[in-house]
Amino acid sequence: NESQSTSTKKPFEGKTITVLCGAGLMKPMNELIQNFENETGAKINVHYGGSSELFGVLATTGGDIFIPGAYKYTEDAMKKGIILNDTVKNITYHIPVIAVPEGNPKNIRSLEDLAKPNVKVVMGDPNACAIGKVAKKILEKNHLWENVSKNIVVKTPTVNQLLIYIATDQADAAIIWEDMVTWAESKGKVEVVEIPKDKDIIKTIPTAVTIYAKKDSNLEVAKAFNDYISSDKAKEIWKKWGFIPCK
Amino acid sequence: MNFLKIEDLSIDLGEFKLVDVNLEVKKRDYLTIIGPTGSGKSILLETIAGFYKPEKGRIYLEGEDITNLPPEKRNMSIVYQDYVLFPHKTVFDNIAYGLKKKIKDKEKIREEVTQITEVLKISHLLHRKPTTLSGGEQQRVALARALIVKPKLLLMDEPFSALDIKTKENLRKLVKKAISEYETTVLHVTHDFDDVWSLANKVVVMKNGKILQEGDVNEIFYKPSINFVADFVGTNVLDGEVIGKEDGLTKIKVGNCVLLSVDDGEGKVRLSIRPEDIIISNNPIETSARNEFRCKVEKINRMGNLVYLTLNVDGIMLRCILTPNALYSLNIKEEDIIYALIKATNVRIIAKNVEGECRS
Amino acid sequence: MNFLKIEDLSIDLGEFKLVDVNLEVKKRDYLTIIGPTGSGKSILLETIAGFYKPEKGRIYLEGEDITNLPPEKRNMSIVYQDYVLFPHKTVFDNIAYGLKKKIKDKEKIREEVTQITEVLKISHLLHRKPTTLSGGEQQRVALARALIVKPKLLLMDEPFSALDIKTKENLRKLVKKAISEYETTVLHVTHDFDDVWSLANKVVVMKNGKILQEGDVNEIFYKPSINFVADFVGTNVLDGEVIGKEDGLTKIKVGNCVLLSVDDGEGKVRLSIRPEDIIISNNPIETSARNEFRCKVEKINRMGNLVYLTLNVDGIMLRCILTPNALYSLNIKEEDIIYALIKATNVRIIAKNVEGECRS
Amino acid sequence: MRYGINFKGFCIFLSFLFTFLLFLAIASLFLIPNPLEVLNALKTEEMIYSLKLSIITSLVSMIFVMLLSVPIGYALSRYSFPGKSVVKSILDLPIAFPELVLGLALLLLFGQSFIGKFLEDFGIKIVFTKLGIIVAQFFTALPYAVRIIYSTFEEINPRYELVSRSLGYGEFETFFNVSLPLAKNGLFASTIITFARCMGTFGTVLILAGGSYMYTEILPITLYLNISYGNMEMAITSGILLIIISFIAILAFEKFEGHKR
Amino acid sequence: MRYGINFKGFCIFLSFLFTFLLFLAIASLFLIPNPLEVLNALKTEEMIYSLKLSIITSLVSMIFVMLLSVPIGYALSRYSFPGKSVVKSILDLPIAFPELVLGLALLLLFGQSFIGKFLEDFGIKIVFTKLGIIVAQFFTALPYAVRIIYSTFEEINPRYELVSRSLGYGEFETFFNVSLPLAKNGLFASTIITFARCMGTFGTVLILAGGSYMYTEILPITLYLNISYGNMEMAITSGILLIIISFIAILAFEKFEGHKR
Ligand SMILES: Nc1ncnc2c1ncn2[C@@H]1O[C@H](COP(=O)(O)OP(=O)(O)OP(=O)(O)O)[C@@H](O)[C@H]1O
Ligand SMILES: Nc1ncnc2c1ncn2[C@@H]1O[C@H](COP(=O)(O)OP(=O)(O)OP(=O)(O)O)[C@@H](O)[C@H]1O
Ligand code: MOO
Ligand SMILES: [Mg+2]
Ligand SMILES: [Mg+2]
C-alpha cells in the first residue's frame, strides 16, 4: 500500500494511537515513545495514570494499548473481552521491596521485623492495587500475615500513598515496588530494604493491544508499538531507568 | 388627540390592586398626582414607565399603543422617590448616562452636564459617588439625570421631598423653565400642595388604587367631587338643600343659615368652601359678598406662619385661615364674636342629590 | 445639668467636615435641626447615635461621657431618612424588634405593637415585608419602630417627608403626645418649617458642617443672627443705624424711613421683620403699632393658599404674606398704594455694629 | 423589543445548553451499567456503609464549615486589621490546590508534626481515621464558603446594623438578628457549594484518612476502590449514588431557597 | 462594650487561627524538599512547560467560565422559565462530583458519543488533547461561578435596571452598564474561585485530556506523575510552584478588589 511505496516516507506517518500507561513507567516510556515516533512517524498519545484509573478509562471509552502497573489489570481487561489476548507481552519485572523512612528509625532489616511491636506498617489494599495483593501473598508465604496485620495502620487503594506516607514519616515501613523508590532513595527520602529472592514474589508488567485499536483501524501501528517496547532494543532503555526487563 | 391615554388599567399585586385607571393627559400638561400614602401613586408611575406589566388595559402615547413596549422605547424618564442612583458611577456619569446613549460628542455631553448641574447647584459633586451624598443632593442628581435627556414624558415621584424650602423653590422654577423650554409633559407625584399650586395645571387624586377625581387645580381644590377629596385638600364641606334662586344665584339652606352660590343645583347638595376664602371682619360690612354670617371664634391655632380659626356659625363649624398680621389687626381672641364673609363664587356645589355621607 | 451636651465635635469625611459642633439640649427639649441640603444634619445625627467615631470632641448624655459607648448602650432610637427597615422581617417584627430585647412577654409586645400601629394607621400592614410598602408606609413603620422602645433620646431624620399633609398632621400630634407622655428628648432634622412651628421649642441652623445659630423657635425666626439664617427662614432683613431713643424704643434709620424697635442697640444695626407680621391696610390707621409706612405694591404672587406681596417702602423692599381672603377684603392690586404697619415688638435687632454684609 | 427578547432568549438558551450538556454527560454515566447490577450493588453492605458515611461526614463538615466561615467572612468584611489582604489570599489559596496537595499539606500538619502529636495526646487522631475525613472535607470546602460569605457581607449596608444596635442589641445579637438573615442568599449559595464540595472530596480524604475499605470509605473512595478491583458496575453505581444524593440535596436546597423569598 | 470587642475579637481570632493553620500546612510542604533541588527542578524543561501550560489553560478557562456564567447566572436570577430549579440543581451538581467522575462523564460525552464524533468532523478533538484540559477545567469551575453570580444578581434591585432602560438603554446595554458593575463583588469572588479552581483541577484533566508528558501536562499532573515514579522533589516543587502562582494571582485580585472600592 501507499505508505510503503516511497522508502523515504516513514511507515506510519499521520497515524495516531493512544497508549494508556502506568504512571510509574513514565520515564522509560517517554524515551521509548520518542524513539518510536522518530522511526515510524506515528504519533503516540500517551496517557499516564494509576492502573485503576487507566482501567476505568479503558473500560469506558477505550485506548489502543494498555500498559498497567501489574498483570492483574490486564487479566481483568481480558475477562471483559477488551484485550486482544494474543498480543499480551511481559515487559519488565516488578520487584517488591520494603521501604522505610530516612534513617530507618524502627531498624527494619527483614520481613520479620514488620511484625515487631510498635512498628507502623502501611499496606496497599490487597483488593485494590497490585502491590497490595503481592504484599499480602509475600507475607502469607512467609507466615507473617497474621502478625503483621496487627501493625497495619492503613490499607491504601493506591501505591502512591505508600510512598507519601513513608517519605513523610507517617509510618515505619511499607512493601512497595522497587522502581517506585529508586528516585526517592537517591534523594535520601526513603531507604530500601531488599527482600531476599526466595521470600519475595516477583511480578511482571505487561503490555497488550486492545480491541479498540481494531475499531479505530490502528491495529497495525498498535501492534508495532506493542512489539517495539517489548523488544530487545527497548530493554536497554528499561534497564537505564532501573527496571529489570523480562527474558 | 391625547398625548398620553390610559384605558382601564388594572394591576394586581396581591395585597394591593390598581383598579380601572383611566387617565388622559394632553401634550405639555403638568399633572400632579396626590393622594394619601399607599394609594398607588408610585405604582401607577412605574406602570407607565414599563416596570409592571398591566393585567388589563392599555396605555397609549401619542396615539401609539405602548402597553407592551419595553421601557427604553417609551421616551420617558423617571425620578424615583428613593433616587435609585447608580452607586458604581460618579455623579457626573449618573447624570451623563442617558445623554451618552443619544450623543457621542464628549465635549457636548460635558457642556450639558455642566449646565444642568450648575443650575441645580451640584456641580461641586460631579466626581463623587452617590453613596456619600446627602438626601437632598441625591435627589437633585436624580432630577438632573432625568431632565438632561429631555424626555417626552417626565415621571417624578416626590422629587422635592428631601429638599429644604429654598432649594425646593429654586427647583420648582427650574423645572418650570425646563419643561416649557423642552415642551415636556409631566406626571408628578407629590404630597406638597405648593407643588400643585405652583406647577400643575391638572390634578389627579388617588385612593386605594383608584382615581377619585381628576381636573384642573381649581376644580380639585374648590370643587372636590367627594368628601374624601375635600377632606384631603383641606376644604370645608357642608351639606344643604337648594331652596330657590335669587338674582341668578342658587339659595342653599345649611342648618339654620342660607348660603348663596354661583353654581346651579337642586335638592340636597354638598358645598365646598376653602378656608382661605373666608373673609373675617369685626363688624358687619356691606360688600358684594352676599354671604355674611355672625359667628363665634371657637379655637385659634398657630401653625407655622399661619393661624387656623375654627368658627361656629349657628352650629356649623368652618375652618378659616389667616396670617398672624391679619389676626393682629383684627385683634381676635377665642370666644369673640366676628363676622365671616363668603363670596358666592367661593361657595361651590360639589355634589348634587346627596343622600347621607358619600365617603369613598 | 444638660441632658445632652456636645463639645467641640469634629469629623472629617474627606470632602465634608463637621467642625467644632457645640450643642446643649435639656431634658424634654424638642430640638429641630434645619439647614440647606448637604449641610451635615444627617451626619450629626448619626454621630450622636454612634455611627461615626468623632475625631475630636466629646458627647455627654446625662453627664456621662458616651463618646466611645457602642450604639446599643446609648438608649437612642434613630429614624432614618431612607427608613432602613429590615427587609427580611415583617412589619410586625420590625416594630417589635427593639421591644423584644427589653421585654419577653409576647402578649405584652403584641399589645404595644397593636396600639402604636393603630395610631399610625399601619395595623393592616403588620404581616407584610417592607419591600412591598409605599414610601409613606415605610416611614411610619420606621417611626413606630423607633417610638415603641421609648428611647431617652429620639433622633429623627426627616421623618415625615414622604407623607401627605393629613397623615403628617396626625403624626405630629401623635409624636407630640408620645414625647410628652414618655418625656422623650428629640432631635429632629427637617425641611418643613411647619414641623418646627408645631413641634419644636428649640432650633439649630446648620450650614457647611457648622452650627450657625441655636435658639428657641422665635429667636431663630424673628432674630436670625446672620443673613444666611434670615434668608433661609424667609424673614426680611434690613440694615440701618440707630439714631436715638423714643419712649423707651430704639429709633433706627433705614434708608429714608425711621423704624422703632423694642430691642436695644446703637451704631449700625441689622433688623429682621417677618413677612407675616406686616399688617396691611388701605388707609392710614391710628393704632398702637408705631411703625406705619405708605408703600407701593410691587408684585403679588399666589403660592398655594397664600399670597406673597412685595412692598416698596421708599426704595426698601419688604416681603409680606397674606391669605387670599385678606387680599380680597383689602381689594389690593399691583401698583396700588397701601399702608404697612409694623409693631415695634416685631422689629428685631439681629446684629449690632454691622460693617457691610455679614454673609456667612 | 426584538433586542430585549434576544438577550433574554440568549441567556436562557445558554442556561439550557449547558444544563443539557451536563445532563447528557451525567446521563451517559447512567447508561454504562446494567440496571439490575446497579440494584444489586446498591444492596451490598459496602455501598450502604459508604453511603451513610458520606452523608454523615458531609453534613458534619458542612455544619462546621458554615459555623466557621460565617464569622470569618464577617470579620474580613466588617473589620479592618493589618495583613487583611494576605489573610484573605491565604484563605482562598486551597481552592487552587489539587486535592492531593491539600491532602499532603494536611497530612504534614496533623500527622507527625507538633500539632498532630499535641492532638494525639488528647486522644484526637486525625490521620487514617474517620475524623480525618471530616477534617479533609472541612479544609477543602472552607475556602469557598469564606469567599462567598465575605462578598455577601460586603453588599450589606452597615446602617441596618446600626439601627439594630441603637435599638439595644449588642454587636453579637445584631449579627444574628440582622446581618445573618440579610446574608441569606450568600449563605444559601455557600451551603449548597459546601455540601456538594464535601460530598465530592476525594483526594484530600484519600491522603489524610487513607481510604480504607469499609472504614474511611466514602462514596468517591468506593468508586475508586471498585475501579481498582476491576468492579466497574459497583464503581459506577457509587458514582450514580453520589449524583443522586447530591441532586436531591441540592434540589431540596434550591426549592427551600425559592420558598423563602 | 466588652461584649462588642469580644465578638469582633472572636471573629478576627478565628480568621487568624485558620489562616495560621493553613499557613502552617502550606509551609510544611515547603520544608520537605531541599531548596537547591527545588531550584534545579524549576529549571527543567518539563516544569517550565507545565507551568506555562497551567497558567495559559487556567486563564483561558477562566475567561470562558466568566463569559458563560455571567449570562447563565443572570438568566437564572432575572427570568423565570419552566424547570428553573431543576436547571439550577443540575448546574450545581458537578460540584459534588469527585473529579474522577466528572472526568469520566466528560470523556463519555466528548469521546465516542455522537457529540464527540460531530465535533471531530469539524476537526475539534477534545479527548487527550490540550483542548481537553480547557474543557475539563471549564466544566469543573463553571458550577461555582454560576452559583455565586446567580446569588449576586439576586441581591440587585431591578429598579436600577428600569432606570437605565427608561433612559434609553436596551436590556443588553443595561446589563452591561448597570447590572454587571453592580455585581462587582460577586464577579470578583467568582473570578478568584474560578481561576484557583482551574489551576487546581486534576482528576478531570487527567481523565479527559490524559496525563501526557510534556503535552497535556499541567502542574497538578506534573505533581502526580512525579510522585508516581517516586520523584518527590519534582512533585513537591510543582506543588510549591502551583501554590506560589496561585497566591500571587489571588493576592493581585484581592489588592485590585480592595482598590476598586
Ligand atoms: N410588590 C407589592 N406587593 C404587594 N403590595 C405592594 C407591592 N408594592 C406596593 N404594594 C402596596 O401597594 C400600595 C401602593 O403603593 P405605592 O408605592 O404606589 O403607594 P404611594 O401612593 O406611592 O404611597 P406613598 O405616598 O407613601 O409613596 C401600598 O399599600 C403598598 O404597600
Ligand atoms: N462618606 C462620606 N464621604 C464624603 N462626604 C460625605 C460622606 N457622607 C456624606 N458626605 C457629605 O457630607 C455632607 C453632609 O451630608 P448630610 O447627609 O449630613 O447632609 P444633610 O444635611 O443631611 O442633607 P439633606 O438635607 O440633603 O439630607 C454632604 O455634602 C455629603 O455629600
Ligand atoms: O502501579 Mo499501580 O499505580 O499499582 O496502581
Ligand atoms: Mg410612593
Ligand atoms: Mg440628610
Side-chain angles (χ1 to χ4, degrees), chain C residues 307-324:
Chain C
V307 180
Y308 289 87
L309 301 187
T310 311
L311 305 178
N312 185 337
V313 188
D314 230 348
I316 304 164
M317 292 297 172
L318 283 180
R319 238 160 55 117
C320 161
I321 298 180
L322 292 179
T323 41

PDB file of all heavy atoms in Angstrom, chain C residues 307-324:
ATOM      1  N   VAL C 307     -50.668  84.364  49.683  1.00  0.00           N
ATOM      2  CA  VAL C 307     -50.319  85.373  48.692  1.00  0.00           C
ATOM      3  C   VAL C 307     -49.102  86.129  49.206  1.00  0.00           C
ATOM      4  O   VAL C 307     -49.070  86.539  50.369  1.00  0.00           O
ATOM      5  CB  VAL C 307     -51.488  86.354  48.472  1.00  0.00           C
ATOM      6  CG1 VAL C 307     -51.121  87.407  47.425  1.00  0.00           C
ATOM      7  CG2 VAL C 307     -52.729  85.597  48.062  1.00  0.00           C
ATOM      8  N   TYR C 308     -48.083  86.231  48.367  1.00  0.00           N
ATOM      9  CA  TYR C 308     -46.895  86.988  48.748  1.00  0.00           C
ATOM     10  C   TYR C 308     -46.939  88.353  48.084  1.00  0.00           C
ATOM     11  O   TYR C 308     -47.063  88.457  46.865  1.00  0.00           O
ATOM     12  CB  TYR C 308     -45.629  86.262  48.290  1.00  0.00           C
ATOM     13  CG  TYR C 308     -45.356  85.014  49.084  1.00  0.00           C
ATOM     14  CD1 TYR C 308     -45.932  83.808  48.709  1.00  0.00           C
ATOM     15  CD2 TYR C 308     -44.539  85.032  50.203  1.00  0.00           C
ATOM     16  CE1 TYR C 308     -45.701  82.651  49.443  1.00  0.00           C
ATOM     17  CE2 TYR C 308     -44.305  83.885  50.948  1.00  0.00           C
ATOM     18  CZ  TYR C 308     -44.893  82.699  50.561  1.00  0.00           C
ATOM     19  OH  TYR C 308     -44.664  81.556  51.286  1.00  0.00           O
ATOM     20  N   LEU C 309     -46.814  89.429  48.907  1.00  0.00           N
ATOM     21  CA  LEU C 309     -46.748  90.776  48.350  1.00  0.00           C
ATOM     22  C   LEU C 309     -45.318  91.275  48.465  1.00  0.00           C
ATOM     23  O   LEU C 309     -44.663  91.073  49.478  1.00  0.00           O
ATOM     24  CB  LEU C 309     -47.638  91.732  49.146  1.00  0.00           C
ATOM     25  CG  LEU C 309     -49.126  91.435  49.240  1.00  0.00           C
ATOM     26  CD1 LEU C 309     -49.838  92.609  49.918  1.00  0.00           C
ATOM     27  CD2 LEU C 309     -49.712  91.199  47.869  1.00  0.00           C
ATOM     28  N   THR C 310     -44.850  91.948  47.437  1.00  0.00           N
ATOM     29  CA  THR C 310     -43.584  92.652  47.564  1.00  0.00           C
ATOM     30  C   THR C 310     -43.919  94.138  47.652  1.00  0.00           C
ATOM     31  O   THR C 310     -44.545  94.700  46.741  1.00  0.00           O
ATOM     32  CB  THR C 310     -42.682  92.376  46.358  1.00  0.00           C
ATOM     33  OG1 THR C 310     -42.641  90.968  46.150  1.00  0.00           O
ATOM     34  CG2 THR C 310     -41.291  92.923  46.592  1.00  0.00           C
ATOM     35  N   LEU C 311     -43.518  94.731  48.790  1.00  0.00           N
ATOM     36  CA  LEU C 311     -43.868  96.140  49.034  1.00  0.00           C
ATOM     37  C   LEU C 311     -42.639  97.009  48.857  1.00  0.00           C
ATOM     38  O   LEU C 311     -41.540  96.644  49.271  1.00  0.00           O
ATOM     39  CB  LEU C 311     -44.390  96.301  50.465  1.00  0.00           C
ATOM     40  CG  LEU C 311     -45.567  95.399  50.857  1.00  0.00           C
ATOM     41  CD1 LEU C 311     -45.935  95.630  52.315  1.00  0.00           C
ATOM     42  CD2 LEU C 311     -46.757  95.658  49.949  1.00  0.00           C
ATOM     43  N   ASN C 312     -42.844  98.159  48.259  1.00  0.00           N
ATOM     44  CA  ASN C 312     -41.750  99.104  48.075  1.00  0.00           C
ATOM     45  C   ASN C 312     -41.975 100.281  49.028  1.00  0.00           C
ATOM     46  O   ASN C 312     -42.867 101.107  48.820  1.00  0.00           O
ATOM     47  CB  ASN C 312     -41.735  99.569  46.624  1.00  0.00           C
ATOM     48  CG  ASN C 312     -40.563 100.463  46.340  1.00  0.00           C
ATOM     49  OD1 ASN C 312     -39.989 101.082  47.254  1.00  0.00           O
ATOM     50  ND2 ASN C 312     -40.203 100.572  45.070  1.00  0.00           N
ATOM     51  N   VAL C 313     -41.172 100.338  50.107  1.00  0.00           N
ATOM     52  CA  VAL C 313     -41.290 101.422  51.076  1.00  0.00           C
ATOM     53  C   VAL C 313     -40.147 102.402  50.810  1.00  0.00           C
ATOM     54  O   VAL C 313     -39.042 102.207  51.314  1.00  0.00           O
ATOM     55  CB  VAL C 313     -41.188 100.901  52.524  1.00  0.00           C
ATOM     56  CG1 VAL C 313     -41.519 102.025  53.511  1.00  0.00           C
ATOM     57  CG2 VAL C 313     -42.069  99.706  52.736  1.00  0.00           C
ATOM     58  N   ASP C 314     -40.414 103.360  49.990  1.00  0.00           N
ATOM     59  CA  ASP C 314     -39.390 104.364  49.740  1.00  0.00           C
ATOM     60  C   ASP C 314     -38.067 103.718  49.298  1.00  0.00           C
ATOM     61  O   ASP C 314     -36.995 104.082  49.782  1.00  0.00           O
ATOM     62  CB  ASP C 314     -39.145 105.156  51.057  1.00  0.00           C
ATOM     63  CG  ASP C 314     -39.216 106.654  50.779  1.00  0.00           C
ATOM     64  OD1 ASP C 314     -39.210 107.030  49.582  1.00  0.00           O
ATOM     65  OD2 ASP C 314     -39.282 107.409  51.761  1.00  0.00           O
ATOM     66  N   GLY C 315     -38.154 102.736  48.434  1.00  0.00           N
ATOM     67  CA  GLY C 315     -36.932 102.096  47.931  1.00  0.00           C
ATOM     68  C   GLY C 315     -36.527 100.850  48.692  1.00  0.00           C
ATOM     69  O   GLY C 315     -35.748 100.035  48.209  1.00  0.00           O
ATOM     70  N   ILE C 316     -37.026 100.680  49.885  1.00  0.00           N
ATOM     71  CA  ILE C 316     -36.733  99.453  50.631  1.00  0.00           C
ATOM     72  C   ILE C 316     -37.786  98.411  50.263  1.00  0.00           C
ATOM     73  O   ILE C 316     -38.977  98.710  50.268  1.00  0.00           O
ATOM     74  CB  ILE C 316     -36.787  99.700  52.149  1.00  0.00           C
ATOM     75  CG1 ILE C 316     -35.817 100.824  52.514  1.00  0.00           C
ATOM     76  CG2 ILE C 316     -36.474  98.446  52.925  1.00  0.00           C
ATOM     77  CD1 ILE C 316     -36.084 101.382  53.892  1.00  0.00           C
ATOM     78  N   MET C 317     -37.310  97.198  49.938  1.00  0.00           N
ATOM     79  CA  MET C 317     -38.255  96.148  49.559  1.00  0.00           C
ATOM     80  C   MET C 317     -38.583  95.279  50.772  1.00  0.00           C
ATOM     81  O   MET C 317     -37.696  94.801  51.461  1.00  0.00           O
ATOM     82  CB  MET C 317     -37.656  95.252  48.469  1.00  0.00           C
ATOM     83  CG  MET C 317     -37.469  95.949  47.135  1.00  0.00           C
ATOM     84  SD  MET C 317     -39.062  96.488  46.440  1.00  0.00           S
ATOM     85  CE  MET C 317     -38.490  97.458  45.036  1.00  0.00           C
ATOM     86  N   LEU C 318     -39.867  95.062  50.996  1.00  0.00           N
ATOM     87  CA  LEU C 318     -40.299  94.196  52.091  1.00  0.00           C
ATOM     88  C   LEU C 318     -41.206  93.106  51.529  1.00  0.00           C
ATOM     89  O   LEU C 318     -42.056  93.379  50.685  1.00  0.00           O
ATOM     90  CB  LEU C 318     -41.095  95.001  53.124  1.00  0.00           C
ATOM     91  CG  LEU C 318     -40.327  95.895  54.087  1.00  0.00           C
ATOM     92  CD1 LEU C 318     -41.307  96.601  55.028  1.00  0.00           C
ATOM     93  CD2 LEU C 318     -39.325  95.084  54.903  1.00  0.00           C
ATOM     94  N   ARG C 319     -40.998  91.865  52.029  1.00  0.00           N
ATOM     95  CA  ARG C 319     -41.906  90.793  51.647  1.00  0.00           C
ATOM     96  C   ARG C 319     -42.974  90.660  52.702  1.00  0.00           C
ATOM     97  O   ARG C 319     -42.700  90.789  53.892  1.00  0.00           O
ATOM     98  CB  ARG C 319     -41.156  89.468  51.533  1.00  0.00           C
ATOM     99  CG  ARG C 319     -41.286  88.862  50.150  1.00  0.00           C
ATOM    100  CD  ARG C 319     -40.222  87.852  49.856  1.00  0.00           C
ATOM    101  NE  ARG C 319     -40.151  86.795  50.852  1.00  0.00           N
ATOM    102  CZ  ARG C 319     -40.382  85.501  50.586  1.00  0.00           C
ATOM    103  NH1 ARG C 319     -40.738  85.127  49.366  1.00  0.00           N
ATOM    104  NH2 ARG C 319     -40.228  84.594  51.518  1.00  0.00           N
ATOM    105  N   CYS C 320     -44.177  90.362  52.276  1.00  0.00           N
ATOM    106  CA  CYS C 320     -45.303  90.322  53.213  1.00  0.00           C
ATOM    107  C   CYS C 320     -46.250  89.214  52.790  1.00  0.00           C
ATOM    108  O   CYS C 320     -46.432  88.962  51.599  1.00  0.00           O
ATOM    109  CB  CYS C 320     -45.958  91.701  53.162  1.00  0.00           C
ATOM    110  SG  CYS C 320     -47.619  91.756  53.776  1.00  0.00           S
ATOM    111  N   ILE C 321     -46.788  88.505  53.748  1.00  0.00           N
ATOM    112  CA  ILE C 321     -47.671  87.376  53.435  1.00  0.00           C
ATOM    113  C   ILE C 321     -49.118  87.677  53.829  1.00  0.00           C
ATOM    114  O   ILE C 321     -49.371  88.187  54.917  1.00  0.00           O
ATOM    115  CB  ILE C 321     -47.211  86.109  54.179  1.00  0.00           C
ATOM    116  CG1 ILE C 321     -45.805  85.712  53.716  1.00  0.00           C
ATOM    117  CG2 ILE C 321     -48.166  84.951  53.956  1.00  0.00           C
ATOM    118  CD1 ILE C 321     -45.268  84.485  54.402  1.00  0.00           C
ATOM    119  N   LEU C 322     -50.034  87.330  52.942  1.00  0.00           N
ATOM    120  CA  LEU C 322     -51.467  87.454  53.238  1.00  0.00           C
ATOM    121  C   LEU C 322     -52.176  86.169  52.842  1.00  0.00           C
ATOM    122  O   LEU C 322     -51.654  85.383  52.066  1.00  0.00           O
ATOM    123  CB  LEU C 322     -52.080  88.591  52.403  1.00  0.00           C
ATOM    124  CG  LEU C 322     -51.677  90.036  52.686  1.00  0.00           C
ATOM    125  CD1 LEU C 322     -52.388  90.960  51.715  1.00  0.00           C
ATOM    126  CD2 LEU C 322     -52.013  90.400  54.123  1.00  0.00           C
ATOM    127  N   THR C 323     -53.399  86.026  53.351  1.00  0.00           N
ATOM    128  CA  THR C 323     -54.242  84.950  52.812  1.00  0.00           C
ATOM    129  C   THR C 323     -55.114  85.538  51.710  1.00  0.00           C
ATOM    130  O   THR C 323     -55.363  86.747  51.694  1.00  0.00           O
ATOM    131  CB  THR C 323     -55.148  84.352  53.909  1.00  0.00           C
ATOM    132  OG1 THR C 323     -55.641  85.397  54.721  1.00  0.00           O
ATOM    133  CG2 THR C 323     -54.379  83.356  54.756  1.00  0.00           C
ATOM    134  N   PRO C 324     -55.589  84.710  50.817  1.00  0.00           N
ATOM    135  CA  PRO C 324     -56.416  85.228  49.722  1.00  0.00           C
ATOM    136  C   PRO C 324     -57.635  86.020  50.235  1.00  0.00           C
ATOM    137  O   PRO C 324     -58.023  87.022  49.632  1.00  0.00           O
ATOM    138  CB  PRO C 324     -56.868  83.959  49.005  1.00  0.00           C
ATOM    139  CG  PRO C 324     -55.827  82.950  49.320  1.00  0.00           C
ATOM    140  CD  PRO C 324     -55.345  83.270  50.692  1.00  0.00           C
TER     141      PRO C 324
END
